[in-house]
Structures are given as C-alpha cells and as structure tokens.
Amino acid sequence: MIVVFLGPPGCGKGTQASFLNKAFGFYHLSTGDEIRNEIREKTPLGLQIAEPYERGELLSDKIVLEIVEKIIAKHATKSILFDGFPRTLPQAQSLDDVLGKHHLQVDAVISFSVDDDLIVQRVLGRIVCGSCQSVYNTYTNPTKESGVCDHCGSQNFIRRTDDTEDALKTRLDLYKKTIEPVKEYYIKKEKLVNIDASKGAGEVTQSLLMDLNIVEQGE
C-alpha cells in the first residue's frame, strides 16, 4: 500500500506515521527527516541546502525528487508512507511517474487539517528524542516522566533547527500557496480523504484506520 500524508507542519503527520510504521510495518518516508539527516551529516547536498532550509524556504523539486527516487527504489516491495511529500503539483505528477516504474501507485492521500494557532503551539512545543527520534510536545504530548523518553529512556532531547516562529510562518505561507493544486490533483483521482487533526492523537488514529480500511492487530 502506498499512502501520502498532506498537512502543514505541526498537524500530527509524524505521530500518525510513526504509528503506522510500528503497528503495520510501513516504511516511513519523511522528506524532512531525510533532508535534516543530510544537513546533520554535512554531506555535499546537506551543505548546499542547510541555510535555505533553516530559513523555512521550500527546496527545489529536483533536490527532493532525487532523495525520493533513491528510497523508492530501495523499498519498492514494502508499504510506503510519504510524509510531507509531494508538496507541489509537479512533485505529485513526478511521484506517479516514479511509482509507475515499479508498477506501484498511490492508494490513498490523507489530508490533515488544523488551525494556525494550534499549529504554532504544537511546533514551538515540539521536542525530539535524540536517541530514538520519538516526537513529543511539552504542551500536548509530554513524556510520562519529565525529561525521560517513554520509549528508550534517553534524556537527550533536541529541538529541530527550523522550529522557530519566523521559520514556521514562512513554512505555513509556502504550504498554503503550493498545496491546493496538489489536493485538486488527488481529488480528481478520487484519492483524497480529509481528517480533522485538531482532535487528540488517538481519535485521529481511529479516523485514519477507518479511512485506510486497516484493522489493528488483536481486534
């Protein structure tokens, strides 16, 4: 199964993607994570994109597609979840072309909607475990024990370098300008489903499972 998650930063895509990965073995393809890895490891590509990315600017389709094509080729036999990609109409069209080479197609597109004020709260409160990459929020989803990761026990927490108010405003503005043609593209293909992401994570998960027609193990 090939699933695409669409939604602004802070809408909860990462939380739901992590659930599908752990519960059903989806390969979680987060272009944001892949880009941050390039920057963190100071690869030639990472050095090229670090400054514009941390300002919240949208990277070129060519750069993003280069990363995506490599990962699809490696994991074509698995269920894949695209988190934060495609962001533009050309990317959506190119994704169909790349998937077609492997006799695959997008099965479902989930669009997460949430108000800007809640997005700001979620993003500015977001922290990530530096050891296992689990994502928490100091306001809406704190760790059970203060300063200790629920999953691995690490006390090494980091904030994403692009999680600042100025960068967030830029990212939200860019998202709104580019995402509507992508939604229209998938609406015409009868692939798009809308989910209210302002609800609690558990409620959003149940809506997601219903829309994807997936039953949790043990039920």
Side-chain angles (χ1 to χ4, degrees), residues 93-128:
Q93 294 166 331
S94 296
L95 176 60
D96 281 348
D97 292 341
V98 173
L99 289 172
K101 295 176 184 177
H102 298 279
H103 308 289
L104 299 170
Q105 65 175 1
V106 172
D107 297 298
V109 179
I110 306 298
S111 178
F112 296 85
S113 61
V114 62
D115 291 339
D116 286 0
D117 288 345
L118 184 54
I119 287 173
V120 171
Q121 184 186 67
R122 286 179 174 180
V123 170
L124 297 186
R126 181 162 57 190
I127 55 175
V128 182

PDB file of all heavy atoms in Angstrom, residues 93-128:
ATOM      1  N   GLN A  93       2.967  14.751  -9.711  1.00  0.00           N
ATOM      2  CA  GLN A  93       2.998  14.119 -11.027  1.00  0.00           C
ATOM      3  C   GLN A  93       4.250  13.259 -11.192  1.00  0.00           C
ATOM      4  O   GLN A  93       4.188  12.140 -11.723  1.00  0.00           O
ATOM      5  CB  GLN A  93       2.935  15.201 -12.117  1.00  0.00           C
ATOM      6  CG  GLN A  93       1.608  15.958 -12.122  1.00  0.00           C
ATOM      7  CD  GLN A  93       1.632  17.222 -12.947  1.00  0.00           C
ATOM      8  OE1 GLN A  93       2.686  17.872 -13.098  1.00  0.00           O
ATOM      9  NE2 GLN A  93       0.493  17.603 -13.495  1.00  0.00           N
ATOM     10  N   SER A  94       5.378  13.764 -10.708  1.00  0.00           N
ATOM     11  CA  SER A  94       6.630  13.009 -10.797  1.00  0.00           C
ATOM     12  C   SER A  94       6.587  11.759  -9.925  1.00  0.00           C
ATOM     13  O   SER A  94       7.141  10.714 -10.283  1.00  0.00           O
ATOM     14  CB  SER A  94       7.818  13.887 -10.386  1.00  0.00           C
ATOM     15  OG  SER A  94       7.989  14.963 -11.283  1.00  0.00           O
ATOM     16  N   LEU A  95       5.928  11.862  -8.752  1.00  0.00           N
ATOM     17  CA  LEU A  95       5.801  10.701  -7.880  1.00  0.00           C
ATOM     18  C   LEU A  95       5.050   9.577  -8.597  1.00  0.00           C
ATOM     19  O   LEU A  95       5.450   8.410  -8.524  1.00  0.00           O
ATOM     20  CB  LEU A  95       5.073  11.076  -6.596  1.00  0.00           C
ATOM     21  CG  LEU A  95       4.791   9.925  -5.624  1.00  0.00           C
ATOM     22  CD1 LEU A  95       6.098   9.262  -5.173  1.00  0.00           C
ATOM     23  CD2 LEU A  95       4.016  10.424  -4.404  1.00  0.00           C
ATOM     24  N   ASP A  96       3.979   9.919  -9.302  1.00  0.00           N
ATOM     25  CA  ASP A  96       3.245   8.903 -10.060  1.00  0.00           C
ATOM     26  C   ASP A  96       4.145   8.240 -11.107  1.00  0.00           C
ATOM     27  O   ASP A  96       4.092   7.020 -11.307  1.00  0.00           O
ATOM     28  CB  ASP A  96       2.037   9.531 -10.758  1.00  0.00           C
ATOM     29  CG  ASP A  96       0.859   9.733  -9.811  1.00  0.00           C
ATOM     30  OD1 ASP A  96       0.899   9.180  -8.695  1.00  0.00           O
ATOM     31  OD2 ASP A  96      -0.087  10.439 -10.190  1.00  0.00           O
ATOM     32  N   ASP A  97       4.979   9.048 -11.750  1.00  0.00           N
ATOM     33  CA  ASP A  97       5.892   8.509 -12.772  1.00  0.00           C
ATOM     34  C   ASP A  97       6.893   7.540 -12.149  1.00  0.00           C
ATOM     35  O   ASP A  97       7.142   6.450 -12.685  1.00  0.00           O
ATOM     36  CB  ASP A  97       6.643   9.644 -13.466  1.00  0.00           C
ATOM     37  CG  ASP A  97       5.733  10.505 -14.330  1.00  0.00           C
ATOM     38  OD1 ASP A  97       4.635  10.032 -14.688  1.00  0.00           O
ATOM     39  OD2 ASP A  97       6.117  11.655 -14.626  1.00  0.00           O
ATOM     40  N   VAL A  98       7.480   7.934 -11.009  1.00  0.00           N
ATOM     41  CA  VAL A  98       8.486   7.089 -10.351  1.00  0.00           C
ATOM     42  C   VAL A  98       7.857   5.795  -9.848  1.00  0.00           C
ATOM     43  O   VAL A  98       8.402   4.702 -10.027  1.00  0.00           O
ATOM     44  CB  VAL A  98       9.159   7.845  -9.184  1.00  0.00           C
ATOM     45  CG1 VAL A  98      10.081   6.914  -8.405  1.00  0.00           C
ATOM     46  CG2 VAL A  98       9.942   9.038  -9.709  1.00  0.00           C
ATOM     47  N   LEU A  99       6.684   5.904  -9.212  1.00  0.00           N
ATOM     48  CA  LEU A  99       5.998   4.710  -8.716  1.00  0.00           C
ATOM     49  C   LEU A  99       5.635   3.777  -9.872  1.00  0.00           C
ATOM     50  O   LEU A  99       5.724   2.547  -9.753  1.00  0.00           O
ATOM     51  CB  LEU A  99       4.738   5.101  -7.945  1.00  0.00           C
ATOM     52  CG  LEU A  99       4.956   5.768  -6.587  1.00  0.00           C
ATOM     53  CD1 LEU A  99       3.619   6.276  -6.030  1.00  0.00           C
ATOM     54  CD2 LEU A  99       5.585   4.797  -5.592  1.00  0.00           C
ATOM     55  N   GLY A 100       5.227   4.369 -10.997  1.00  0.00           N
ATOM     56  CA  GLY A 100       4.858   3.569 -12.164  1.00  0.00           C
ATOM     57  C   GLY A 100       5.987   2.693 -12.660  1.00  0.00           C
ATOM     58  O   GLY A 100       5.759   1.584 -13.166  1.00  0.00           O
ATOM     59  N   LYS A 101       7.219   3.168 -12.533  1.00  0.00           N
ATOM     60  CA  LYS A 101       8.383   2.374 -12.949  1.00  0.00           C
ATOM     61  C   LYS A 101       8.496   1.081 -12.154  1.00  0.00           C
ATOM     62  O   LYS A 101       9.079   0.104 -12.615  1.00  0.00           O
ATOM     63  CB  LYS A 101       9.668   3.194 -12.775  1.00  0.00           C
ATOM     64  CG  LYS A 101       9.764   4.412 -13.672  1.00  0.00           C
ATOM     65  CD  LYS A 101      11.033   5.210 -13.359  1.00  0.00           C
ATOM     66  CE  LYS A 101      11.091   6.481 -14.186  1.00  0.00           C
ATOM     67  NZ  LYS A 101      12.287   7.308 -13.840  1.00  0.00           N
ATOM     68  N   HIS A 102       7.930   1.088 -10.942  1.00  0.00           N
ATOM     69  CA  HIS A 102       7.966  -0.101 -10.067  1.00  0.00           C
ATOM     70  C   HIS A 102       6.601  -0.782  -9.994  1.00  0.00           C
ATOM     71  O   HIS A 102       6.361  -1.593  -9.100  1.00  0.00           O
ATOM     72  CB  HIS A 102       8.426   0.320  -8.672  1.00  0.00           C
ATOM     73  CG  HIS A 102       9.805   0.899  -8.632  1.00  0.00           C
ATOM     74  ND1 HIS A 102      10.946   0.136  -8.611  1.00  0.00           N
ATOM     75  CD2 HIS A 102      10.230   2.200  -8.660  1.00  0.00           C
ATOM     76  CE1 HIS A 102      12.012   0.912  -8.594  1.00  0.00           C
ATOM     77  NE2 HIS A 102      11.607   2.170  -8.624  1.00  0.00           N
ATOM     78  N   HIS A 103       5.706  -0.423 -10.945  1.00  0.00           N
ATOM     79  CA  HIS A 103       4.356  -0.995 -11.011  1.00  0.00           C
ATOM     80  C   HIS A 103       3.571  -0.726  -9.725  1.00  0.00           C
ATOM     81  O   HIS A 103       2.824  -1.582  -9.239  1.00  0.00           O
ATOM     82  CB  HIS A 103       4.430  -2.506 -11.291  1.00  0.00           C
ATOM     83  CG  HIS A 103       5.270  -2.851 -12.475  1.00  0.00           C
ATOM     84  ND1 HIS A 103       4.884  -2.570 -13.773  1.00  0.00           N
ATOM     85  CD2 HIS A 103       6.506  -3.430 -12.552  1.00  0.00           C
ATOM     86  CE1 HIS A 103       5.826  -2.969 -14.617  1.00  0.00           C
ATOM     87  NE2 HIS A 103       6.823  -3.487 -13.905  1.00  0.00           N
ATOM     88  N   LEU A 104       3.749   0.476  -9.201  1.00  0.00           N
ATOM     89  CA  LEU A 104       3.053   0.905  -7.996  1.00  0.00           C
ATOM     90  C   LEU A 104       2.224   2.147  -8.299  1.00  0.00           C
ATOM     91  O   LEU A 104       2.434   2.822  -9.308  1.00  0.00           O
ATOM     92  CB  LEU A 104       4.060   1.223  -6.885  1.00  0.00           C
ATOM     93  CG  LEU A 104       4.967   0.090  -6.405  1.00  0.00           C
ATOM     94  CD1 LEU A 104       6.054   0.643  -5.487  1.00  0.00           C
ATOM     95  CD2 LEU A 104       4.159  -0.984  -5.690  1.00  0.00           C
ATOM     96  N   GLN A 105       1.294   2.468  -7.385  1.00  0.00           N
ATOM     97  CA  GLN A 105       0.528   3.703  -7.491  1.00  0.00           C
ATOM     98  C   GLN A 105       0.113   4.157  -6.101  1.00  0.00           C
ATOM     99  O   GLN A 105       0.116   3.373  -5.148  1.00  0.00           O
ATOM    100  CB  GLN A 105      -0.724   3.498  -8.349  1.00  0.00           C
ATOM    101  CG  GLN A 105      -1.730   2.541  -7.732  1.00  0.00           C
ATOM    102  CD  GLN A 105      -3.006   2.436  -8.536  1.00  0.00           C
ATOM    103  OE1 GLN A 105      -3.147   3.056  -9.579  1.00  0.00           O
ATOM    104  NE2 GLN A 105      -3.968   1.660  -8.049  1.00  0.00           N
ATOM    105  N   VAL A 106      -0.224   5.438  -5.973  1.00  0.00           N
ATOM    106  CA  VAL A 106      -0.730   5.969  -4.708  1.00  0.00           C
ATOM    107  C   VAL A 106      -2.115   5.386  -4.468  1.00  0.00           C
ATOM    108  O   VAL A 106      -3.002   5.476  -5.316  1.00  0.00           O
ATOM    109  CB  VAL A 106      -0.802   7.510  -4.746  1.00  0.00           C
ATOM    110  CG1 VAL A 106      -1.506   8.038  -3.499  1.00  0.00           C
ATOM    111  CG2 VAL A 106       0.592   8.111  -4.867  1.00  0.00           C
ATOM    112  N   ASP A 107      -2.297   4.764  -3.288  1.00  0.00           N
ATOM    113  CA  ASP A 107      -3.588   4.157  -2.954  1.00  0.00           C
ATOM    114  C   ASP A 107      -4.499   5.102  -2.196  1.00  0.00           C
ATOM    115  O   ASP A 107      -5.720   5.042  -2.344  1.00  0.00           O
ATOM    116  CB  ASP A 107      -3.365   2.887  -2.126  1.00  0.00           C
ATOM    117  CG  ASP A 107      -2.611   1.821  -2.905  1.00  0.00           C
ATOM    118  OD1 ASP A 107      -3.144   1.375  -3.932  1.00  0.00           O
ATOM    119  OD2 ASP A 107      -1.500   1.455  -2.493  1.00  0.00           O
ATOM    120  N   ALA A 108      -3.932   5.952  -1.344  1.00  0.00           N
ATOM    121  CA  ALA A 108      -4.742   6.870  -0.539  1.00  0.00           C
ATOM    122  C   ALA A 108      -3.932   8.096  -0.166  1.00  0.00           C
ATOM    123  O   ALA A 108      -2.726   8.012   0.060  1.00  0.00           O
ATOM    124  CB  ALA A 108      -5.250   6.179   0.726  1.00  0.00           C
ATOM    125  N   VAL A 109      -4.625   9.237  -0.113  1.00  0.00           N
ATOM    126  CA  VAL A 109      -3.999  10.502   0.283  1.00  0.00           C
ATOM    127  C   VAL A 109      -4.798  11.063   1.462  1.00  0.00           C
ATOM    128  O   VAL A 109      -5.995  11.319   1.340  1.00  0.00           O
ATOM    129  CB  VAL A 109      -3.991  11.516  -0.874  1.00  0.00           C
ATOM    130  CG1 VAL A 109      -3.351  12.828  -0.434  1.00  0.00           C
ATOM    131  CG2 VAL A 109      -3.265  10.945  -2.087  1.00  0.00           C
ATOM    132  N   ILE A 110      -4.122  11.218   2.600  1.00  0.00           N
ATOM    133  CA  ILE A 110      -4.771  11.725   3.812  1.00  0.00           C
ATOM    134  C   ILE A 110      -4.361  13.177   4.015  1.00  0.00           C
ATOM    135  O   ILE A 110      -3.179  13.488   4.153  1.00  0.00           O
ATOM    136  CB  ILE A 110      -4.364  10.905   5.052  1.00  0.00           C
ATOM    137  CG1 ILE A 110      -4.622   9.408   4.818  1.00  0.00           C
ATOM    138  CG2 ILE A 110      -5.120  11.406   6.275  1.00  0.00           C
ATOM    139  CD1 ILE A 110      -6.062   9.044   4.574  1.00  0.00           C
ATOM    140  N   SER A 111      -5.350  14.067   4.032  1.00  0.00           N
ATOM    141  CA  SER A 111      -5.095  15.499   4.244  1.00  0.00           C
ATOM    142  C   SER A 111      -5.493  15.866   5.669  1.00  0.00           C
ATOM    143  O   SER A 111      -6.668  15.784   6.048  1.00  0.00           O
ATOM    144  CB  SER A 111      -5.892  16.325   3.242  1.00  0.00           C
ATOM    145  OG  SER A 111      -5.704  17.702   3.462  1.00  0.00           O
ATOM    146  N   PHE A 112      -4.498  16.278   6.482  1.00  0.00           N
ATOM    147  CA  PHE A 112      -4.728  16.652   7.880  1.00  0.00           C
ATOM    148  C   PHE A 112      -4.965  18.158   7.965  1.00  0.00           C
ATOM    149  O   PHE A 112      -4.139  18.945   7.505  1.00  0.00           O
ATOM    150  CB  PHE A 112      -3.508  16.296   8.735  1.00  0.00           C
ATOM    151  CG  PHE A 112      -3.216  14.825   8.813  1.00  0.00           C
ATOM    152  CD1 PHE A 112      -2.462  14.199   7.834  1.00  0.00           C
ATOM    153  CD2 PHE A 112      -3.695  14.067   9.876  1.00  0.00           C
ATOM    154  CE1 PHE A 112      -2.191  12.838   7.905  1.00  0.00           C
ATOM    155  CE2 PHE A 112      -3.427  12.708   9.959  1.00  0.00           C
ATOM    156  CZ  PHE A 112      -2.675  12.090   8.971  1.00  0.00           C
ATOM    157  N   SER A 113      -6.073  18.556   8.586  1.00  0.00           N
ATOM    158  CA  SER A 113      -6.385  19.985   8.712  1.00  0.00           C
ATOM    159  C   SER A 113      -6.368  20.404  10.177  1.00  0.00           C
ATOM    160  O   SER A 113      -6.816  19.670  11.054  1.00  0.00           O
ATOM    161  CB  SER A 113      -7.756  20.293   8.106  1.00  0.00           C
ATOM    162  OG  SER A 113      -8.776  19.576   8.768  1.00  0.00           O
ATOM    163  N   VAL A 114      -5.829  21.603  10.438  1.00  0.00           N
ATOM    164  CA  VAL A 114      -5.737  22.130  11.804  1.00  0.00           C
ATOM    165  C   VAL A 114      -5.547  23.645  11.732  1.00  0.00           C
ATOM    166  O   VAL A 114      -4.946  24.152  10.783  1.00  0.00           O
ATOM    167  CB  VAL A 114      -4.574  21.460  12.568  1.00  0.00           C
ATOM    168  CG1 VAL A 114      -3.255  21.743  11.905  1.00  0.00           C
ATOM    169  CG2 VAL A 114      -4.559  21.852  14.027  1.00  0.00           C
ATOM    170  N   ASP A 115      -6.077  24.379  12.722  1.00  0.00           N
ATOM    171  CA  ASP A 115      -5.976  25.838  12.737  1.00  0.00           C
ATOM    172  C   ASP A 115      -4.538  26.297  12.973  1.00  0.00           C
ATOM    173  O   ASP A 115      -3.761  25.633  13.665  1.00  0.00           O
ATOM    174  CB  ASP A 115      -6.864  26.430  13.833  1.00  0.00           C
ATOM    175  CG  ASP A 115      -8.342  26.274  13.544  1.00  0.00           C
ATOM    176  OD1 ASP A 115      -8.684  26.085  12.358  1.00  0.00           O
ATOM    177  OD2 ASP A 115      -9.145  26.324  14.500  1.00  0.00           O
ATOM    178  N   ASP A 116      -4.202  27.480  12.439  1.00  0.00           N
ATOM    179  CA  ASP A 116      -2.842  28.018  12.562  1.00  0.00           C
ATOM    180  C   ASP A 116      -2.412  28.204  14.011  1.00  0.00           C
ATOM    181  O   ASP A 116      -1.256  27.945  14.357  1.00  0.00           O
ATOM    182  CB  ASP A 116      -2.730  29.362  11.824  1.00  0.00           C
ATOM    183  CG  ASP A 116      -2.691  29.191  10.309  1.00  0.00           C
ATOM    184  OD1 ASP A 116      -2.749  28.040   9.842  1.00  0.00           O
ATOM    185  OD2 ASP A 116      -2.591  30.217   9.605  1.00  0.00           O
ATOM    186  N   ASP A 117      -3.326  28.679  14.882  1.00  0.00           N
ATOM    187  CA  ASP A 117      -2.954  28.921  16.284  1.00  0.00           C
ATOM    188  C   ASP A 117      -2.507  27.634  16.970  1.00  0.00           C
ATOM    189  O   ASP A 117      -1.532  27.626  17.742  1.00  0.00           O
ATOM    190  CB  ASP A 117      -4.137  29.525  17.057  1.00  0.00           C
ATOM    191  CG  ASP A 117      -4.418  30.966  16.662  1.00  0.00           C
ATOM    192  OD1 ASP A 117      -3.539  31.576  16.016  1.00  0.00           O
ATOM    193  OD2 ASP A 117      -5.499  31.474  16.998  1.00  0.00           O
ATOM    194  N   LEU A 118      -3.198  26.548  16.685  1.00  0.00           N
ATOM    195  CA  LEU A 118      -2.831  25.265  17.278  1.00  0.00           C
ATOM    196  C   LEU A 118      -1.515  24.756  16.691  1.00  0.00           C
ATOM    197  O   LEU A 118      -0.700  24.157  17.400  1.00  0.00           O
ATOM    198  CB  LEU A 118      -3.942  24.235  17.051  1.00  0.00           C
ATOM    199  CG  LEU A 118      -3.749  22.856  17.693  1.00  0.00           C
ATOM    200  CD1 LEU A 118      -3.474  22.984  19.191  1.00  0.00           C
ATOM    201  CD2 LEU A 118      -4.968  21.982  17.434  1.00  0.00           C
ATOM    202  N   ILE A 119      -1.295  25.029  15.421  1.00  0.00           N
ATOM    203  CA  ILE A 119      -0.037  24.638  14.781  1.00  0.00           C
ATOM    204  C   ILE A 119       1.143  25.306  15.478  1.00  0.00           C
ATOM    205  O   ILE A 119       2.160  24.677  15.773  1.00  0.00           O
ATOM    206  CB  ILE A 119      -0.048  25.014  13.284  1.00  0.00           C
ATOM    207  CG1 ILE A 119      -0.974  24.079  12.516  1.00  0.00           C
ATOM    208  CG2 ILE A 119       1.365  24.950  12.702  1.00  0.00           C
ATOM    209  CD1 ILE A 119      -1.167  24.470  11.071  1.00  0.00           C
ATOM    210  N   VAL A 120       1.012  26.600  15.757  1.00  0.00           N
ATOM    211  CA  VAL A 120       2.090  27.340  16.423  1.00  0.00           C
ATOM    212  C   VAL A 120       2.403  26.719  17.776  1.00  0.00           C
ATOM    213  O   VAL A 120       3.564  26.493  18.125  1.00  0.00           O
ATOM    214  CB  VAL A 120       1.710  28.827  16.592  1.00  0.00           C
ATOM    215  CG1 VAL A 120       2.729  29.538  17.470  1.00  0.00           C
ATOM    216  CG2 VAL A 120       1.631  29.510  15.227  1.00  0.00           C
ATOM    217  N   GLN A 121       1.354  26.423  18.548  1.00  0.00           N
ATOM    218  CA  GLN A 121       1.559  25.816  19.864  1.00  0.00           C
ATOM    219  C   GLN A 121       2.258  24.463  19.744  1.00  0.00           C
ATOM    220  O   GLN A 121       3.202  24.161  20.476  1.00  0.00           O
ATOM    221  CB  GLN A 121       0.225  25.647  20.582  1.00  0.00           C
ATOM    222  CG  GLN A 121       0.372  25.094  22.008  1.00  0.00           C
ATOM    223  CD  GLN A 121      -0.963  24.788  22.659  1.00  0.00           C
ATOM    224  OE1 GLN A 121      -1.683  23.887  22.228  1.00  0.00           O
ATOM    225  NE2 GLN A 121      -1.301  25.555  23.682  1.00  0.00           N
ATOM    226  N   ARG A 122       1.810  23.658  18.797  1.00  0.00           N
ATOM    227  CA  ARG A 122       2.387  22.322  18.635  1.00  0.00           C
ATOM    228  C   ARG A 122       3.848  22.379  18.206  1.00  0.00           C
ATOM    229  O   ARG A 122       4.695  21.666  18.745  1.00  0.00           O
ATOM    230  CB  ARG A 122       1.584  21.524  17.608  1.00  0.00           C
ATOM    231  CG  ARG A 122       0.232  21.043  18.116  1.00  0.00           C
ATOM    232  CD  ARG A 122      -0.503  20.287  17.030  1.00  0.00           C
ATOM    233  NE  ARG A 122      -1.740  19.690  17.514  1.00  0.00           N
ATOM    234  CZ  ARG A 122      -2.569  18.978  16.751  1.00  0.00           C
ATOM    235  NH1 ARG A 122      -2.281  18.791  15.473  1.00  0.00           N
ATOM    236  NH2 ARG A 122      -3.680  18.460  17.264  1.00  0.00           N
ATOM    237  N   VAL A 123       4.144  23.222  17.237  1.00  0.00           N
ATOM    238  CA  VAL A 123       5.509  23.265  16.701  1.00  0.00           C
ATOM    239  C   VAL A 123       6.491  23.847  17.706  1.00  0.00           C
ATOM    240  O   VAL A 123       7.588  23.313  17.908  1.00  0.00           O
ATOM    241  CB  VAL A 123       5.557  24.064  15.380  1.00  0.00           C
ATOM    242  CG1 VAL A 123       7.000  24.328  14.953  1.00  0.00           C
ATOM    243  CG2 VAL A 123       4.823  23.299  14.292  1.00  0.00           C
ATOM    244  N   LEU A 124       6.122  24.941  18.373  1.00  0.00           N
ATOM    245  CA  LEU A 124       7.044  25.572  19.304  1.00  0.00           C
ATOM    246  C   LEU A 124       7.239  24.736  20.568  1.00  0.00           C
ATOM    247  O   LEU A 124       8.215  24.926  21.290  1.00  0.00           O
ATOM    248  CB  LEU A 124       6.566  26.985  19.650  1.00  0.00           C
ATOM    249  CG  LEU A 124       6.516  27.964  18.467  1.00  0.00           C
ATOM    250  CD1 LEU A 124       6.173  29.365  18.953  1.00  0.00           C
ATOM    251  CD2 LEU A 124       7.826  27.984  17.699  1.00  0.00           C
ATOM    252  N   GLY A 125       6.324  23.794  20.819  1.00  0.00           N
ATOM    253  CA  GLY A 125       6.470  22.916  21.977  1.00  0.00           C
ATOM    254  C   GLY A 125       7.062  21.561  21.630  1.00  0.00           C
ATOM    255  O   GLY A 125       7.209  20.704  22.495  1.00  0.00           O
ATOM    256  N   ARG A 126       7.413  21.361  20.371  1.00  0.00           N
ATOM    257  CA  ARG A 126       7.874  20.046  19.920  1.00  0.00           C
ATOM    258  C   ARG A 126       9.316  19.767  20.337  1.00  0.00           C
ATOM    259  O   ARG A 126      10.194  20.605  20.179  1.00  0.00           O
ATOM    260  CB  ARG A 126       7.756  19.961  18.394  1.00  0.00           C
ATOM    261  CG  ARG A 126       8.185  18.630  17.804  1.00  0.00           C
ATOM    262  CD  ARG A 126       7.653  18.450  16.402  1.00  0.00           C
ATOM    263  NE  ARG A 126       8.037  19.503  15.482  1.00  0.00           N
ATOM    264  CZ  ARG A 126       7.539  19.652  14.254  1.00  0.00           C
ATOM    265  NH1 ARG A 126       6.602  18.809  13.831  1.00  0.00           N
ATOM    266  NH2 ARG A 126       7.938  20.631  13.477  1.00  0.00           N
ATOM    267  N   ILE A 127       9.538  18.567  20.873  1.00  0.00           N
ATOM    268  CA  ILE A 127      10.887  18.105  21.189  1.00  0.00           C
ATOM    269  C   ILE A 127      11.048  16.689  20.634  1.00  0.00           C
ATOM    270  O   ILE A 127      10.069  15.953  20.512  1.00  0.00           O
ATOM    271  CB  ILE A 127      11.184  18.103  22.713  1.00  0.00           C
ATOM    272  CG1 ILE A 127      10.138  17.293  23.474  1.00  0.00           C
ATOM    273  CG2 ILE A 127      11.283  19.522  23.245  1.00  0.00           C
ATOM    274  CD1 ILE A 127      10.419  17.136  24.957  1.00  0.00           C
ATOM    275  N   VAL A 128      12.272  16.331  20.298  1.00  0.00           N
ATOM    276  CA  VAL A 128      12.550  15.033  19.677  1.00  0.00           C
ATOM    277  C   VAL A 128      13.613  14.306  20.483  1.00  0.00           C
ATOM    278  O   VAL A 128      14.630  14.906  20.867  1.00  0.00           O
ATOM    279  CB  VAL A 128      13.033  15.214  18.222  1.00  0.00           C
ATOM    280  CG1 VAL A 128      13.284  13.859  17.564  1.00  0.00           C
ATOM    281  CG2 VAL A 128      12.036  16.029  17.411  1.00  0.00           C
TER     282      VAL A 128
END
